[in-house]
């Protein structure tokens, strides 16, 4: 129960960050021209009806993280069924990773090669949080593995108006239960 509320709060932060960023067309500063053309499930054309799905985002995170040496923590955050196409939470089992910091760096590098654009990065006291964006999705990649707690999480939220409404409804439902 506590974890579900934490994910809901994380989603709110991601949506807040997404809402404060530039929404003027999704062009990346300093990004390569091929980054936009590698969007999963589409030809990379501008506009169109194609949307990056929660399933595609889950696959991208899973492929990047497992390729970097992580295994998924099966006790990680559970997303409400109605929000599964709008939100993804992937928690690494930091205890099983040989070098969680390197695996985190490699995961983020693979995601950026796959079209995710790094927008912000912050770090303090051995923790690193990177904000990445692809299409209407915001991804918070968090690495808190420097201390005794080996926590590495990837939480992505679709900031489209339709998904914002779905997530707000799921959060409201979670508050009443």
């Amino acid at each position: 129960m506590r974890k579900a509320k934490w994910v809901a709060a994380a989603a709110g932060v991601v949506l807040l960050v997404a809402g404060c960023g530039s929404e003027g067309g999704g062009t990346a500063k300093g990004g390569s021209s091929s980054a936009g053309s590698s969007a999963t499930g589409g030809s990379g054309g501008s506009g169109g009806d194609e949307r990056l799905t929660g399933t595609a985002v889950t696959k991208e995170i899973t492929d990047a993280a497992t390729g970097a040496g992580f295994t998924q923590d099966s006790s990680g955050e559970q997303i409400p069924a109605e929000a599964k196409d709008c939100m993804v939470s992937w928690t690494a089992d930091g205890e099983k990773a040989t070098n969680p910091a390197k695996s985190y760096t490699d995961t983020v590098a693979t995601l950026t090669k796959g079209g995710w654009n790094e927008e912000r990065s912050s770090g303090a006291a051995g923790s690193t949080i990177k904000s990445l964006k692809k299409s209407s999705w915001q991804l918070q990649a968090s690495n808190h593995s420097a201390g005794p707690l080996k926590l590495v999480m990837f939480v992505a939220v679709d900031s489209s108006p339709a998904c914002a409404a779905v997530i707000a409804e799921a959060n409201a439902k979670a508050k009443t239960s």
Side-chain angles (χ1 to χ4, degrees), residues 88-170:
V88 172
S89 178
W90 202 98
T91 304
D93 188 337
E95 297 294 329
K96 290 183 181 174
T98 304
N99 183 341
K102 181 179 181 332
S103 293
Y104 170 82
T105 300
D106 291 350
T107 300
V108 172
T110 299
L111 290 168
T112 57
K113 286 178 189 168
W116 289 88
N117 298 303
E118 187 175 326
E119 294 190 319
R120 289 181 254 323
S121 181
S122 63
S127 292
T128 304
I129 300 173
K130 294 184 180 276
S131 178
L132 300 108
K133 183 170 177 60
K134 183 174 185 179
S135 183
S136 61
W137 285 80
Q138 284 289 138
L139 170 66
Q140 296 293 347
S142 306
N143 176 22
H144 312 284
S145 64
L149 177 65
K150 307 293 185 215
L151 179 63
V152 178
M153 287 185 67
F154 302 91
V155 178
V157 177
D158 184 342
S159 61
S160 68
C163 278
V166 168
I167 291 169
E169 185 177 316

